[in-house]
Amino acid sequence: MENPRTELSGHRVLVGNRGEIAIRIMQACLKLGVAFTAIYTPEDKESTHVSFARDHGGEHGLYMVSSYHDANELMAVADVSGCTAVHPGYGFFAEDFRFARRVTKRDRKMIFLGPSWKIIRELGDKINTKRLARSLGVPTVPGSDRPIYDEMEAENIAEDVFDFQLQQGIDHPLVLIKASAGGGGMGIEEVDDIDQFRSVYRRVRNYAARQFKDEGVLIEQRVTDFNHLEVQIIGDRSGKNQVHFGTRNCSIQSTGRQKRLEVAPGFDPSENEYNFDAHGVLDAITQYSLTMAREVGYDSVGTWEWIVTRQGAPFLMEVNTRIQVENGVSARIARVKGQEGVDLIAEQIRTGLGEPLGYTQHDIQFDGFALEYRLIAESPENNFTPWVGTIDRFRWKEHPWLSVHTQVPKSAYNIPTEFDPNLALAIIWGKDLKELKERGLVFLNELELQGHNAAGEAMKNNIAFLMEKTPQILKF
């Protein structure tokens, strides 16, 4: 599945990202026999993704840019190096349909290694995604699937949402009132008493009109007690062949709802007790996700994100039309036609460049459990505040069940403050949940991660937090 192919050898991929994902894209290109061109900013000159590109990329393997966010610079690098495709990684331009459209519509057309720009636009709109899901019978968080401008209609929807929660056995129902044009948590309030609804609705509507020039408001159920699950999907350019690579549980997060530990598969009823049919829920969300992927002709890697309540009710949250940070934890337990070593990034690249998927759902099996630790320079005890300084030592012991992806070099490394403080991803495999937890703690106990800041104070990191949370994985 990953042998170099002559039909791909004429391509060159612009790696439009940084850090560990840039390294993994380059590694996938090397597996496939595809040339690549990487980029970096002055702040990233010490990153291992830069030295990797310099060592393996050849004459046009590495260019400096002023910003990863400057589309004009990326296009200029692509042109001077002769790139035929662009892989955006995650973040930056990964889910920007305008950037994807520009890549494919410009005078010197290239291939965008992600879904078609029309699919990104369609599924990137959460309201549109919710409407599509409901038309297909896919469960979504109860509430409106379009902006509401009428107060009476809004109140009727809120009453229905309150009633739904009471039927679910929720003692203290909550309704979210959200400015439909808002973002980043702006213009959101919650109501726990229907008698308060109208005054809060008017306040949010007026805020929305002032801030966003749009009075539209969304009414949704506020779900507080849930697990966060994901379904990994991939399709080829035909838009007709889609398969899933199982489920992940991403419920262990920071206080700001940022993922810190991911596990595949999403539940384990053999080790943990649930108030519902866990296998049934996992089967349901994978089939729902595939139904939507097939409806839109999904043609790349993507993730369907779900919340599952304590009663086992699944609700689709959103679709991420890109490769995700945690793709490797799904790949680690997957086997295609009995072969280990699945690389979802390589699969995304080869199918994006036109190769057929080459297998069906019947060819995919799953073996064991895997978890991914996100190793981050931060202070969990201080609301996960990022730590700034120099890493002096970063070492771990090699094991056959362990893989570590990092941009941190072996030498002293100044963490760039311009980007997030993610340092590495550690992926661990175990035949069952018990072995997985044991191996996870072995890795964390053996890990050496030391540094200092400008005041000479010791480095802050999240290792203790990960150790504390490891025994809790896949518990509800």
Side-chain angles (χ1 to χ4, degrees):
M1 194 168 58
E2 294 171 349
N3 294 325
R5 294 164 170 81
T6 55
E7 59 265 35
L8 300 182
S9 60
H11 284 286
R12 175 177 286 273
V13 173
L14 176 67
V15 183
N17 217 293
R18 63 179 294 274
E20 60 83 17
I21 187 59
I23 296 171
R24 292 164 80 177
I25 295 168
M26 290 185 278
Q27 290 171 334
C29 286
L30 292 175
K31 293 179 187 177
L32 297 168
V34 176
F36 64 79
T37 295
I39 57 175
Y40 72 103
T41 63
E43 298 84 4
D44 256 344
K45 63 182 183 297
E46 297 176 2
S47 171
T48 301
H49 94 262
V50 175
S51 58
F52 187 96
R54 192 173 288 124
D55 293 343
H56 301 281
E59 181 182 358
H60 296 288
L62 183 66
Y63 289 81
M64 187 172 73
V65 296
S66 62
S67 171
Y68 297 107
H69 297 276
D70 191 326
N72 291 330
E73 280 199 279
L74 268 63
M75 295 301 102
V77 170
D79 288 341
V80 75
S81 60
C83 288
T84 59
V86 178
H87 195 307
Y90 48 72
F92 298 145
F93 291 112
E95 294 179 284
D96 186 333
F97 80 85
R98 295 175 182 84
F99 178 82
R101 182 174 60 191
R102 177 177 177 180
V103 167
T104 58
K105 298 286 188 181
R106 62 201 298 267
D107 289 341
R108 196 182 75 80
K109 295 178 174 61
M110 294 185 291
I111 298 167
F112 181 76
L113 293 174
S116 72
W117 67 266
K118 292 181 180 179
I119 290 176
I120 297 174
R121 182 179 64 180
E122 181 175 6
L123 296 180
D125 182 328
K126 293 183 181 181
I127 297 175
N128 191 60
T129 298
K130 191 173 189 178
R131 190 178 298 127
L132 171 66
R134 289 185 173 180
S135 73
L136 297 170
V138 175
T140 64
V141 176
S144 57
D145 59 4
R146 58 182 173 80
I148 306 299
Y149 296 89
D150 180 80
E151 185 173 298
M152 288 300 295
E153 183 182 7
E155 187 170 23
N156 289 335
I157 293 172
E159 288 176 344
D160 290 341
V161 172
F162 269 114
D163 289 343
F164 175 85
Q165 292 179 73
L166 290 172
Q167 293 167 13
Q168 292 285 309
I170 297 172
D171 294 330
H172 303 288
L174 291 172
V175 168
L176 282 184
I177 305 175
K178 304 164 61 175
S180 64
M186 298 174 63
I188 301 177
E189 293 199 38
E190 61 182 41
V191 177
D192 60 5
D193 184 345
I194 193 64
D195 293 334
Q196 302 170 357
F197 179 81
R198 288 194 179 190
S199 62
V200 178
Y201 168 83
R202 291 169 185 167
R203 186 161 64 242
V204 173
R205 183 189 62 192
N206 293 337
Y207 176 86
R210 291 195 311 272
Q211 295 294 321
F212 311 118
K213 312 303 181 191
D214 185 341
E215 292 186 355
V217 170
L218 298 174
I219 313 299
E220 288 186 350
Q221 175 179 330
R222 174 76 162 97
V223 183
T224 56
D225 187 13
F226 62 87
N227 266 208
H228 178 174
L229 271 71
E230 299 176 344
V231 177
Q232 179 68 67
I233 299 287
I234 184 171
D236 63 22
R237 288 305 194 199
S238 72
K240 298 177 181 178
N241 303 315
Q242 295 89 15
V243 296
H244 74 82
F245 275 89
T247 59
R248 301 185 286 260
N249 193 311
C250 306
S251 301
I252 297 177
Q253 303 178 354
S254 72
T255 51
R257 290 290 179 197
Q258 297 295 312
K259 302 168 191 172
R260 290 296 181 265
L261 195 158
E262 299 96 8
V263 190
F267 290 127
D268 179 23
S270 68
E271 289 285 335
N272 297 316
E273 289 189 8
Y274 305 105
N275 296 327
F276 50 85
D277 175 7
H279 287 308
V281 170
L282 297 182
D283 289 342
I285 64 175
T286 53
Q287 291 308 310
Y288 283 137
S289 301
L290 280 172
T291 295
M292 288 185 67
R294 289 164 179 159
E295 177 68 18
V296 300
Y298 202 82
D299 58 353
S300 185
V301 167
T303 299
W304 269 245
E305 300 218 11
W306 294 83
I307 57 177
V308 177
T309 69
R310 190 171 290 277
Q311 292 75 33
F315 300 120
L316 179 71
M317 283 198 300
E318 62 184 353
V319 179
N320 293 143
T321 55
R322 55 174 167 82
I323 199 74
Q324 283 193 283
V325 178
E326 57 271 26
N327 76 88
V329 77
S330 292
R332 186 63 184 85
I333 65 170
R335 310 286 183 266
V336 175
K337 296 181 179 179
Q339 295 184 12
E340 295 187 35
V342 173
D343 183 338
L344 290 174
I345 299 173
E347 292 299 277
Q348 181 186 26
I349 293 171
R350 72 170 189 86
T351 56
L353 294 178
E355 284 201 351
L357 194 61
Y359 47 86
T360 68
Q361 196 68 55
H362 295 295
D363 297 316
I364 302 173
Q365 295 84 38
F366 299 97
D367 179 30
F369 290 75
L371 68 83
E372 176 177 272
Y373 291 127
R374 298 193 188 194
L375 299 171
I376 301 177
E378 63 182 3
S379 177
E381 63 275 12
N382 187 25
N383 204 31
F384 293 87
T385 303
W387 179 87
V388 177
T390 301
I391 297 177
D392 300 314
R393 184 172 179 81
F394 185 27
R395 300 287 189 275
W396 60 90
K397 291 186 179 179
E398 300 289 344
H399 296 282
W401 40 262
L402 170 69
S403 57
V404 178
H405 304 282
T406 182
Q407 73 274 14
V408 178
K410 297 296 184 184
S411 55
Y413 177 67
N414 296 309
I415 301 174
T417 57
E418 294 79 8
F419 313 109
D420 63 56
N422 284 286
L423 303 178
L425 305 174
I427 300 174
I428 291 148
W429 181 88
K431 66 180 182 295
D432 53 34
L433 196 57
K434 181 176 182 293
E435 184 175 71
L436 185 71
K437 294 176 183 179
E438 291 172 350
R439 287 177 170 178
L441 293 174
V442 166
F443 164 74
L444 292 173
N445 277 302
E446 293 176 345
L447 184 63
E448 297 179 67
L449 180 54
Q450 301 164 2
H452 67 279
N453 62 15
E457 298 166 329
M459 177 184 185
K460 301 282 188 181
N461 60 59
N462 67 338
I463 294 175
F465 172 82
L466 296 174
M467 293 182 72
E468 176 191 346
K469 296 298 183 182
T470 297
Q472 302 175 25
I473 58 177
L474 298 192
K475 290 184 178 180
F476 206 113

